[in-house]
Amino acid sequence: MSILEPALPSVDPVLNPHAARKARPGGTFVRRIAAHIPWVVSTAVLLFFVLAAIAPNVLAPVDPLAINPSEAFSAPGTGHLLGTDESGRDIYSRIVHGSRASLLIGAAATGIGLSLALVLGTVAGFGGRWLDFGVGRILEVLFALPGLLLALVFIALAGPGVATTVVAVGLTTAPGYARMIRAQIIALRTSPMVEAATVLGRSRTRILTTHILPNALAPIAVLATLGLGQAILWAASLSFLGLGAPPPAPEWGTMLSAGRTYLALAWWMTLFPGLAIVLVAAAATVLSRSLKSRGTR
């Protein structure tokens, strides 16, 4: 190299990893694509099941309750993509048509949990010291019981069924949301924005509805996506125990409960409904974490 030519600065990936990434634009592009793959896949999975819940006949025109004893326990193949159950019902059609019940149960339970948490969290965070103390003790009692056990206690008192399953799962998710809403409200209550509104003479109700609640619920909405997957799992667990939708309803937990009897003979009766539950719960978790990471940037 001639002494007149400027020496190129060396890039040490250990001492200067940021410069090393700039020096490899192709690698940075690949990383960006790889970082979006989980988000794209999880979104596609959720869109598929949402479409299945909205228009199941488009994806599976076969009647999920149609019985054909001559084709009972048919293995997955060309005639039946995911096989059939003990009555000859098509497993794929039952999973697709069961998306509506499973997703509605999860969404309704999440909505009930958020509504109850909004009341408890707002009263605790904005209602004064004594209300905060009282609500805090209630939340501690609810946290002392495992979520599934709390749901079982409620169902034991109210009776089994889809409606009681929805309410039971909603009650189990409410304490966690309420604690987060309370923390958000307490943090916002002493913020400069609220102090300025107080100086301007705005009422407590207007401050709460205009300045505090919209900002407190923004991060909770992202976490509700994560709660949707958890609610579907808990609802499926209760249906598996025979406390949810009664058979032969095409609901994933009910299908799991029916398939466990024939696990050694027809494994597909248990595998594919369980896989649907895992896919929806995992996709909701990945999407929630992706939205949360995008919001913190």
Side-chain angles (χ1 to χ4, degrees):
M1 182 178 66
S2 173
I3 59 174
L4 299 178
E5 295 178 358
L8 295 175
S10 60
V11 177
D12 191 337
V14 177
L15 299 178
N16 195 350
H18 182 67
R21 286 194 295 268
K22 285 186 175 181
R24 298 192 302 270
T28 303
F29 177 75
V30 172
R31 288 192 190 94
R32 289 179 178 177
I33 295 298
H36 285 80
I37 289 177
W39 184 84
V40 172
V41 172
S42 60
T43 303
V45 170
L46 289 179
L47 286 178
F48 172 81
F49 284 106
V50 168
L51 177 61
I54 295 174
N57 291 324
V58 175
L59 299 177
V62 179
D63 185 1
L65 300 177
I67 296 176
N68 190 357
S70 62
E71 295 185 353
F73 300 117
S74 297
T78 54
H80 299 279
L81 183 62
L82 302 182
T84 61
D85 61 7
E86 75 279 7
S87 300
R89 295 179 292 236
D90 187 73
I91 297 294
Y92 169 74
S93 179
R94 288 176 62 78
I95 289 176
V96 170
H97 285 261
S99 301
R100 176 177 299 175
S102 298
L103 292 182
L104 282 179
I105 289 174
T110 303
I112 291 174
L114 282 176
S115 301
L116 182 59
L118 179 61
V119 175
L120 293 175
T122 302
V123 170
F126 202 71
R129 184 176 63 179
W130 290 108
L131 287 175
D132 187 15
F133 178 82
V135 173
R137 302 296 78 76
I138 294 175
L139 295 179
E140 288 178 1
V141 171
L142 294 177
F143 270 115
L145 295 173
L148 190 57
L149 178 60
L150 181 62
L152 289 174
V153 170
F154 180 82
I155 291 177
L157 296 175
V162 176
T164 52
T165 298
V166 171
V167 177
V169 175
L171 290 176
T172 59
T173 59
Y177 293 133
R179 180 169 287 185
M180 288 184 285
I181 292 175
R182 171 188 172 276
Q184 291 287 332
I185 290 178
I186 290 177
L188 290 168
R189 195 174 59 189
T190 57
S191 64
M193 171 185 61
V194 174
E195 291 179 356
T198 304
V199 171
L200 292 175
R202 294 180 179 176
S203 64
R204 285 172 56 86
T205 303
R206 185 176 179 185
I207 291 174
L208 177 65
T209 57
T210 306
H211 300 286
I212 294 182
L213 285 182
N215 292 284
L217 294 178
I220 306 300
V222 176
L223 294 177
T225 308
L226 179 62
L228 174 63
Q230 184 183 26
I232 291 175
L233 279 174
W234 283 358
S237 301
L238 295 173
S239 296
F240 180 80
L241 296 174
L243 302 175
E251 197 271 332
W252 297 341
T254 304
M255 294 174 65
L256 275 177
S257 180
R260 63 179 173 176
T261 307
Y262 310 99
L263 188 59
L265 177 64
W267 51 266
W268 52 88
M269 290 179 59
T270 304
L271 174 64
F272 294 118
L275 187 60
I277 297 171
V278 171
L279 283 176
V280 172
T285 301
V286 172
L287 185 61
S288 173
R289 295 192 176 185
S290 178
L291 293 174
K292 184 179 179 181
S293 62
R294 288 169 182 267
T296 55
R297 289 178 183 176

